[in-house]
Amino acid sequence: MDWQTLIDEPAVIAAAVLILGLVVGYLVGRLNEELLTASGVPEAVEGTPFERTAQSLGTSTVEIVARLSAWFIYGIAVLTAIHIAQLLDTDAFWLRVTEFIPQVFVAVLVMIVGFIVADKSELTVGEYLRSVKLPQVSVIPKLVKYSVLYVALVIALGQVGVHVVALLILLAIYAVGIVAVGAYAFKDFLVSSAAGIYLLLNQPYGIGDRVRVGDQTGIVQEVDLFVTKIEDDSEEYIVPNRKVFEDGIVRVRD
């Protein structure tokens, strides 16, 4: 058997395609890892539960996403090599696989991004609402997280051909229920935020002013969307902006 005949052998071509795919997959994975690192993704996902879980397994979010792109190319190379070597004499199977693999890749990527965005949203919302002294507020970060995850799941299932009409209907019902229940459960929260917007826009008092709200007197330390912080000697009062409107505020002049 001469070299030309050997080169024309399907098994040899398949092996060459497989080797080339492994090399290209490795290089693409490394390149994506460097690009994600350079774009600041590690800092963006730092502290999220997904990143902590990845680190406990000896990897990171960036490495998982980079390896996912590499595994995608590995999979395409393997399937191409199998097809060239004629190990599977089923063109219909090959056609379905080539259509399905990219969809699975996108679906997995959507879920990974969904987990990261959900975790980051929970942390961000929790940090923003940390100063709000209302018991109902502690539910909001979790609510945001699972809402993002649900949307990511619907998108991922849609990518792999699952009919998501029922899930979209449930999402709509869920959204309406959240609005209705939230409006009732967080009415004090909403009133305080509305009052906070008014106070921030009109500024009837500012930081450093000595004021009295109901029985509490002190110097204003901070005014945000939800509360006004007043300090008197060693005591700090955190007054919901709703209470400012209900009780009125007196600015004490020296």
Side-chain angles (χ1 to χ4, degrees):
M1 181 180 297
D2 56 22
W3 284 105
Q4 186 62 41
T5 305
L6 182 63
I7 292 174
D8 290 339
E9 284 290 324
V12 176
I13 299 175
V17 169
L18 182 59
I19 294 172
L20 179 62
L22 294 176
V23 172
V24 171
Y26 174 78
L27 294 176
V28 168
R30 292 298 300 272
L31 177 62
N32 283 340
E33 185 174 352
E34 292 180 3
L35 290 175
L36 291 171
T37 302
S39 62
V41 172
E43 291 77 13
V45 301
E46 184 179 0
T48 62
F50 188 90
E51 176 67 11
R52 290 198 298 269
T53 301
Q55 289 178 351
S56 69
L57 298 174
T59 182
S60 66
T61 302
V62 168
E63 289 183 5
I64 290 175
V65 175
R67 288 175 183 173
L68 184 63
S69 61
W71 293 338
F72 173 72
I73 295 177
Y74 295 156
I76 293 296
V78 169
L79 292 173
T80 304
I82 291 174
H83 181 67
I84 293 174
Q86 299 177 353
L87 298 178
L88 291 175
D89 190 19
T90 52
D91 291 338
F93 170 78
W94 166 251
L95 181 61
R96 287 195 299 269
V97 167
T98 55
E99 292 177 349
F100 190 63
I101 288 293
Q103 294 172 347
V104 172
F105 172 76
V106 173
V108 173
L109 187 60
V110 165
M111 286 306 302
I112 290 176
V113 173
F115 272 106
I116 295 171
V117 173
D119 290 339
K120 199 66 178 178
S121 300
E122 181 184 17
L123 291 174
T124 302
V125 173
E127 181 68 22
Y128 183 74
L129 299 177
R130 186 174 58 180
S131 62
V132 181
K133 306 302 180 182
L134 293 174
Q136 301 95 325
V137 170
S138 61
V139 183
I140 295 179
K142 289 291 183 184
L143 196 61
V144 171
K145 175 181 178 178
Y146 290 115
S147 297
V148 173
L149 285 177
Y150 189 90
V151 172
L153 178 63
V154 170
I155 296 174
L157 291 176
Q159 286 295 319
V160 295
V162 176
H163 294 291
V164 296
V165 176
L167 293 176
L168 290 175
I169 293 174
L170 286 176
L171 179 61
I173 295 173
Y174 169 79
V176 172
I178 289 297
V179 172
V181 174
Y184 176 76
F186 298 101
K187 57 183 178 180
D188 290 341
F189 174 78
L190 295 174
V191 171
S192 288
S193 62
I197 292 174
Y198 174 83
L199 294 175
L200 290 173
L201 290 177
N202 291 276
Q203 297 183 343
Y205 55 87
I207 295 174
D209 289 343
R210 186 171 185 81
V211 298
R212 183 171 67 250
V213 180
D215 297 332
Q216 299 161 343
T217 303
I219 298 175
V220 177
Q221 300 296 317
E222 182 181 347
V223 182
D224 64 21
L225 187 61
F226 305 105
V227 299
T228 295
K229 295 182 180 179
I230 302 172
E231 186 177 282
D232 183 25
D233 296 329
S234 60
E235 296 181 333
E236 182 182 48
Y237 305 109
I238 300 176
V239 184
N241 290 330
R242 166 184 55 82
K243 185 175 176 59
V244 173
F245 266 67
E246 291 176 352
D247 296 350
I249 188 165
V250 177
R251 184 158 31 177
V252 179
R253 298 188 182 279
D254 296 331

